[in-house]
Each structure stands twice: as structure tokens, then as C-alpha cells.
């Protein structure tokens, strides 16, 4: 009597590491609300009447006052969706501190800002909700560290939050690995760096009038005409600066991405964000 050969067990697909702030329905709603307010804050001067006399220097305090509770709302909504403990808060604090410390290393030099590559990798591993909060908190901490507090700061917080959020929304977090993942993150960092610079150009451009008929903002003019001038302004003033940021982000992502991605994923696994904390009262 012969025994049937034993069949090997089917391989269990690898599960993606748990994320400390998952994008549940409440968190998604809070992020959509923040995004809509941010788009309005960046773009309303294009729709304002030429005689309004309003400027970003006047609306920045109001945006900052609205942004802080909205950031808290994202965190609270994430807690309501999936739960969040002190380990996630600690990781947020550590990464924000590292990002804030990286910024002065290149600030003011041809747009070189090494903090952007950290935002790409952190958003990729830890998710879009965590990425948005991390980007905003990092920019706030770095502004305090470098003395860069001004009417532009809440806009920078929003723009970097969106930048990190986008990295968390990239496809295949549990499937794409290795060189393919690094190439995707580097490409995103390159494009996202220009998008960040363009958003911040829009914030500053509407305050700069009288620079020239072809690139100056004309309050009250049709939106297509002002957008054409804005494009000319970006090409004339900031392409080189944004290229420096984008190139450095690509270089650091390809050079250090493998090591840092492994470290972040290992820390996420060991933190076990998805394991509920239970207290034995015996």
C-alpha cells in the first residue's frame, strides 16, 4: 500500500505592515475638508475683485487658525476609525524632529531641501493620513527651528502635508518592492517637488505686482489670463530652484531609500500598531 505524496501547504501571501493612521472614512472626510479649504486659501485671489484689497498676508493668520484644529480633526478621525496609541504619536514626533533637523542643512542653497525625501518614504510606509499630519507638523517645527515663521508658513504646512499624503496614496504598498518601488518613489518625489514649488509660487505671486506685464498678477483679470502670467512667472523665477529640490529628492531616495524603507517597516512591525493594548488587572 503506497501513501499519497504530501502536498506542500499553499504559500500565505505577505501582509502589508499595519499603518499607525489608516485612511478610514472619517479620516478621509477630514482630509477632503482640509484639502478643499487649502485649495480655496491658495486660489481665491484669482477670483477676487481687483478692488478687494485682500492679500495672503492678511488671510494667513485665519488659515493657520483653521489648519491646527483641522490637523487635530484628522488625528481624532483616525482614532475613531482604527485607533491610535502612544507608539504612533512617538513615531510622529521622532520623524517630525528628524525632518525639521534636515531642513536647515540645505535651506537657502539652490532649493536643496533634504527633508523632502524623508516625507516621501515616511508617507509611503505609514500611509496618507499619517503622511499629511507628519508633513504639516514637520514644516511647523522646522519653521520654528529656522526662524521661518511668516504669512507663508500655513501654506507651506498645507503644501508639504499634501506632498506626504500623495506618497501614501501611491499604488501597491504591499506588492511593489525593491528597485521598482524606489524608481516609483523617486519619480513621485521629482514631480511632487515641482508641485510643491508651484503651489508656494501661487501663494507668493499674488502678492507681487508690478513685476512686468507678462508675469505680474493682475487682480480682477480673467483667470486664464492670470494663469498664463503665472506659468510665465514660474518659468522665469523658480524652475532652477524647484529643480534643485527635485534632483536632491531623487538622489537621496535612490541612495538611501532601501535602507530607510526597511527601517521604517521594521519599526512599524515591532510597534504592532494594529494590536490592541490590553491591561491585566489581576
Amino acid at each position: 500500500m503506497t501513501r499519497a505524496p504530501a502536498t506542500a501547504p499553499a504559500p500565505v501571501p505577505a501582509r502589508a505592515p499595519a499603518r499607525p493612521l489608516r485612511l478610514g472614512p472619517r479620516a478621509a472626510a477630514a482630509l477632503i475638508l482640509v484639502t478643499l479649504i487649502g485649495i480655496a486659501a491658495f486660489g481665491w485671489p484669482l477670483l477676487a475683485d481687483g478692488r478687494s484689497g485682500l492679500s495672503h498676508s492678511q488671510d494667513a493668520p485665519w488659515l493657520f487658525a483653521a489648519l491646527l484644529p483641522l490637523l487635530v480633526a484628522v488625528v481624532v478621525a483616525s482614532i475613531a476609525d482604527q485607533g491610535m496609541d502612544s507608539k504612533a504619536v512617538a513615531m510622529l514626533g521622532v520623524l517630525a524632529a528628524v525632518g525639521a533637523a534636515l531642513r536647515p542643512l540645505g535651506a537657502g542653497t539652490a532649493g536643496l531641501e533634504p527633508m523632502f525625501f524623508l516625507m516621501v518614504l515616511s508617507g509611503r510606509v505609514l500611509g496618507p493620513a499619517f503622511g499629511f499630519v507628519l508633513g504639516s507638523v514637520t514644516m511647523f517645527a522646522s519653521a520654528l527651528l529656522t526662524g521661518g515663521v511668516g504669512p507663508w508658513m500655513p501654506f507651506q504646512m498645507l503644501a508639504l502635508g499634501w506632498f506626504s499624503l500623495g506618497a501614501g496614496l501611491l499604488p501597491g504598498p504591499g506588492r511593489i518592492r525593491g528597485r521598482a518601488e524606489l524608481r516609483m518613489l523617486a519619480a513621485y518625489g521629482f514631480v511632487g517637488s515641482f508641485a510643491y514649488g508651484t503651489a508656494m509660487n501661487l501663494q507668493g505671486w499674488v502678492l507681487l505686482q508690478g513685476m512686468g506685464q507678462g508675469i505680474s498678477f493682475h487682480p480682477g483679470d480673467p483667470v486664464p489670463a492670470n494663469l498664463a502670467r503665472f506659468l510665465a512667472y514660474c518659468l522665469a523665477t523658480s524652475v532652477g530652484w524647484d529643480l534643485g529640490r527635485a534632483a536632491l529628492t531623487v538622489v537621496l531616495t535612490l541612495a538611501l531609500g532601501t535602507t530607510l524603507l526597511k527601517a521604517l517597516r521594521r519599526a512599524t512591525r515591532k510597534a504592532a500598531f494594529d494590536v490592541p493594548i490590553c491591561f491585566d488587572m489581576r
Side-chain angles (χ1 to χ4, degrees):
M1 182 177 181
T2 59
R3 295 178 58 187
T7 58
V12 179
R15 188 168 63 95
R19 286 173 164 176
L21 280 179
R22 298 181 185 178
L23 192 59
R26 294 182 181 89
L31 286 174
I32 291 173
L33 177 60
V34 175
T35 298
L36 292 176
I37 292 176
I39 292 173
F42 274 99
W44 73 262
L46 294 173
L47 304 176
D49 186 85
R51 297 167 295 177
S52 63
L54 299 176
S55 69
H56 278 326
S57 61
Q58 295 173 340
D59 66 9
W62 299 102
L63 177 60
F64 184 68
L67 181 58
L68 290 184
L70 287 173
L71 287 176
V72 174
V74 174
V75 177
V76 171
S78 300
I79 294 172
D81 283 332
Q82 300 292 341
M84 175 183 176
D85 56 22
S86 58
K87 295 175 289 186
V89 175
M91 180 170 286
L92 174 66
V94 169
L95 290 174
V98 173
L102 285 174
R103 191 182 184 195
L105 298 180
T109 307
L112 302 179
E113 296 180 274
M115 64 187 294
F116 277 75
F117 99 99
L118 179 63
M119 298 299 105
V120 172
L121 301 178
S122 299
R124 171 66 171 175
V125 173
L126 300 170
F130 190 99
F132 179 82
V133 176
L134 174 62
S136 299
V137 172
T138 300
M139 184 58 72
F140 178 74
S142 67
L144 297 179
L145 182 64
T146 61
V149 178
W152 55 83
M153 187 182 70
F155 297 93
Q156 289 178 322
M157 291 172 63
L158 274 170
L160 190 61
W162 289 332
F163 178 84
S164 304
L165 180 149
L169 293 175
L170 292 174
R175 301 186 304 275
I176 302 177
R177 288 289 192 271
R179 300 301 299 178
E181 183 178 36
L182 284 184
R183 286 193 294 268
M184 179 181 68
L185 294 177
Y188 172 80
F190 187 87
V191 175
S193 295
F194 277 95
Y196 171 89
T198 302
M200 290 311 302
N201 282 342
L202 181 60
Q203 179 270 328
W205 174 67
V206 297
L207 304 177
L208 303 174
Q209 300 178 29
M211 294 180 297
Q213 193 69 19
I215 63 174
S216 181
F217 173 58
H218 294 178
D221 273 14
V223 173
N226 267 325
L227 288 179
R229 298 188 191 102
F230 175 63
L231 177 60
Y233 169 81
C234 291
L235 293 175
T237 63
S238 65
V239 168
W241 190 273
D242 294 338
L243 181 60
R245 180 192 304 113
L248 182 62
T249 301
V250 170
V251 170
L252 291 178
T253 299
L254 294 177
L256 305 176
T258 299
T259 301
L260 191 53
L261 285 172
K262 288 180 180 178
L264 288 170
R265 284 171 174 145
R266 186 182 304 112
T268 303
R269 286 194 301 269
K270 289 185 177 296
F273 293 111
D274 56 347
V275 177
I277 298 176
C278 300
F279 297 95
D280 190 354
M281 304 301 294
R282 291 178 297 177

